[in-house]
């Protein structure tokens, strides 16, 4: 580990807006803030919005500045990136922002049933190989965990430059008869795009500079189990959107 990362990790351990629980604290001892985020973590009992795979926390911070009447939680396992967002949030300062360093797979141990109002998934790893399907943050495996922590009408957002992930997610939602509220293969060209789209992540800025299109999806918590795509549909998406060398 580089000296710079060690310095960041040491400093981040002192940040009041960063929670870094170990696996035992989450899965065995029952996470102390589960079901108590509004009362014990934030100053006000406002709606909770998550950014999954938050990286440097651009969306967590950007949304928190626009919506002081909501509470925001950035989740990621990579502490060096999280350090950037957490430090910025402290400097502003933002009282409605908290970061938690942990694996997204543990999300049901961290939040209680219907405790979350909204979820943003911003530029996740598309995990294109078939054997990695379960690892995609919009897979049926993950969505069935989001369903449990989201309120019945909770909103989910996906923003990505990866066309395979975008169309895989659309197909998955259509296959399960989930109502898609907004879908675009080039969201920055949409006149009616939600204003939140104007927030750019570190990687998004790089993609836009290269002329890449950014896709966006918005859908409601389906409130029912999501089943994975059948072989026929999955194969069509792979053939159409994956490169032959993947």
């Amino acid at each position: 580990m580089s000296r710079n990362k060690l310095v960041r990790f040491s400093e981040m351990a002192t940040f009041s807006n960063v929670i870094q629980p170990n696996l035992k604290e989450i899965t065995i001892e029952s996470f102390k803030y589960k079901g108590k985020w509004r009362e014990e973590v934030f100053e006000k009992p406002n709606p909770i919005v998550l950014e999954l795979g938050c990286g440097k926390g651009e969306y967590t911070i950007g949304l928190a500045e626009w919506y002081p009447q909501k509470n925001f939680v950035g989740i990621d396992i990579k502490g060096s990136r999280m350090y950037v967002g957490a430090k910025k949030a402290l400097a502003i300062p933002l009282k409605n922002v908290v970061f938690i360093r942990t694996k997204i797979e543990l999300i049901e141990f961290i939040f209680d049933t219907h405790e979350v109002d909204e979820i943003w998934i911003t530029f996740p790893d598309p995990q294109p190989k078939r054997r990695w399907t379960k690892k995609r943050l919009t897979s049926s495996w993950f969505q069935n965990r989001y369903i449990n922590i989201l309120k019945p009408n909770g909103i989910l957002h996906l923003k990505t430059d990866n066309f395979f992930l975008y169309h895989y997610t659309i197909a998955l939602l259509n296959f399960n008869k989930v109502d898609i509220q907004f879908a675009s293969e080039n969201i920055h060209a949409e006149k009616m795009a939600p204003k939140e789209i104007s927030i750019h992540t570190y990687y998004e800025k790089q993609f836009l500079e290269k002329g890449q299109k950014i896709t966006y999806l918005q859908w409601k918590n389906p409130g029912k189990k999501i089943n994975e795509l059948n072989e026929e549909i999955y194969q069509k998406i792979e053939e159409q959107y994956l490169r032959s060398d993947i």
Side-chain angles (χ1 to χ4, degrees):
M1 185 180 295
S2 69
R3 184 177 182 279
N4 184 49
K5 282 188 176 181
L6 289 173
V7 171
R8 285 188 170 190
F9 290 161
S10 178
E11 185 180 354
M12 194 164 68
T14 70
F15 289 177
S16 60
N17 63 349
V18 176
I19 302 169
Q20 301 188 76
N22 59 44
L23 189 60
K24 180 181 178 182
E25 290 175 311
I26 294 176
T27 60
I28 298 177
E29 297 178 353
S30 184
F31 188 55
K32 62 182 179 180
Y33 296 130
K34 182 177 180 179
K36 303 175 183 177
W37 281 86
R38 290 178 174 85
E39 297 82 4
E40 298 191 10
V41 178
F42 294 103
E43 291 185 350
K44 296 181 180 180
N46 291 327
I48 294 175
V49 181
L50 309 184
E51 183 189 4
L52 304 183
C54 66
K56 297 181 179 181
E58 293 93 343
Y59 258 84
T60 301
I61 292 172
L63 292 171
E65 289 183 304
W66 280 352
Y67 301 107
Q69 74 279 17
K70 294 182 180 181
N71 295 322
F72 295 85
V73 183
I75 304 177
D76 209 313
I77 192 61
K78 296 182 178 179
S80 184
R81 296 178 186 175
M82 180 178 288
Y83 166 90
V84 176
K87 189 167 186 176
K88 183 176 180 179
L90 286 174
I92 290 175
L94 291 172
K95 301 295 185 181
N96 60 332
V97 169
V98 167
F99 292 89
I100 178 166
R101 188 184 175 200
T102 190
K103 292 182 178 180
I104 297 170
E105 290 89 332
L106 302 174
I107 200 165
E108 285 181 290
F109 291 96
I110 299 168
F111 297 94
D112 209 349
T113 305
H114 301 164
E115 190 170 18
V116 174
D117 296 78
E118 197 170 344
I119 292 177
W120 280 85
I121 305 170
T122 51
F123 298 92
D125 187 332
Q127 305 286 3
K129 293 186 178 181
R130 180 77 71 98
R131 66 178 181 271
W132 295 342
T133 299
K134 185 178 175 181
K135 294 183 179 182
R136 290 180 207 136
L137 292 188
T138 59
S139 70
S140 60
W141 191 89
F142 271 104
Q143 289 213 48
N144 287 327
R145 279 144 185 80
Y146 305 153
I147 287 170
N148 291 332
I149 66 170
L150 268 174
K151 288 189 174 180
N153 290 318
I155 302 295
L156 298 102
H157 310 260
L158 170 67
K159 197 178 184 187
T160 178
D161 66 305
N162 188 274
F163 271 58
F164 167 72
L165 180 62
Y166 172 77
H167 285 283
Y168 159 81
T169 307
I170 285 180
L172 186 64
L173 295 173
N174 287 335
F175 183 68
N176 286 278
K177 295 180 172 56
V178 177
D179 183 36
I180 297 174
Q181 296 186 303
F182 200 110
S184 175
E185 290 188 353
N186 187 9
I187 190 59
H188 292 300
E190 300 282 354
K191 293 182 179 180
M192 300 301 291
K195 77 169 188 175
E196 293 87 352
I197 295 304
S198 63
I199 299 172
H200 293 168
T201 70
Y202 171 80
Y203 292 107
E204 183 175 5
K205 291 175 183 177
Q206 294 182 330
F207 298 145
L208 292 172
E209 288 174 0
K210 295 176 182 177
Q212 291 180 236
K213 293 180 180 178
I214 306 300
T215 69
Y216 171 73
L217 273 177
Q218 181 187 128
W219 67 102
K220 278 188 177 181
N221 179 7
K224 61 180 181 179
K225 182 181 179 181
I226 298 295
N227 296 306
E228 195 51 61
L229 295 175
N230 62 33
E231 179 63 26
E232 181 182 0
I233 298 175
Y234 201 116
Q235 189 171 347
K236 285 182 179 179
I237 294 172
E238 283 188 320
E239 291 172 352
Q240 187 171 359
Y241 297 106
L242 289 184
R243 301 188 306 273
S244 59
D245 61 341
I246 292 181

